[in-house]
Amino acid sequence: QVQLVESGGGLVQAGGSLRLSCAASGRIFTSYAVGWFRQGPGKEREFVAAISYSGDSTYDADSVKGRFTISRDNAKNTVYLQMNSLKPEDTAVYYCAAAYSYLPRASRQYPFWGQGTQVTVSS
């Protein structure tokens, strides 16, 4: 089992920045890829970004490419999502998830999930 806890969400104006954190505990975190997903009001959950277990590979959704950066610090068992140039359409609950796989992009591939953190971007 891997337990995940997100933090860092909040209210920000359009154009601003936030950094989300995903703290992990439980089994060896360095063996797991981690992904960020989001679910906006009335929308389905969508993939945002993923990082490999070692951190040497990442993949970003087109909607956030060039604005969001995923990274990890395995010494701290933490994955980050740096979000810059935020837009109102980025408003959503953001979830981190862990998978014993290589850069999965589908939510069904992730067995472990955090509880989510709310990000609200005002125009």
Side-chain angles (χ1 to χ4, degrees):
Q1 284 283 63
V2 176
Q3 292 80 41
L4 304 170
V5 178
E6 302 95 335
S7 62
L11 174 64
V12 64
Q13 288 188 331
S17 299
L18 283 174
R19 188 177 79 159
L20 305 184
S21 297
C22 173
S25 60
R27 300 189 70 176
I28 301 173
F29 181 60
T30 54
S31 299
Y32 290 82
V34 174
W36 284 97
F37 292 78
R38 66 185 181 185
Q39 188 165 15
K43 298 181 180 179
E44 293 186 353
R45 189 172 297 188
E46 65 171 344
F47 171 81
V48 175
I51 189 165
S52 62
Y53 66 94
S54 64
D56 60 353
S57 296
T58 63
Y59 187 83
D60 304 322
D62 288 343
S63 59
V64 304
K65 205 176 294 286
R67 299 189 298 124
F68 292 10
T69 302
I70 188 171
S71 62
R72 68 189 296 162
D73 185 341
N74 284 340
K76 296 182 178 180
N77 281 1
T78 303
V79 171
Y80 304 98
L81 185 67
Q82 178 67 43
M83 306 187 295
N84 299 327
S85 302
L86 283 161
K87 304 175 182 180
E89 51 263 44
D90 294 319
T91 295
V93 177
Y94 283 71
Y95 301 88
C96 67
Y100 194 66
S101 183
Y102 189 76
L103 287 181
R105 304 167 198 175
S107 58
R108 64 181 183 275
Q109 295 175 285
Y110 288 85
F112 306 111
W113 291 81
Q115 83 291 347
T117 185
Q118 176 71 47
V119 171
T120 303
V121 184
S122 63
S123 57

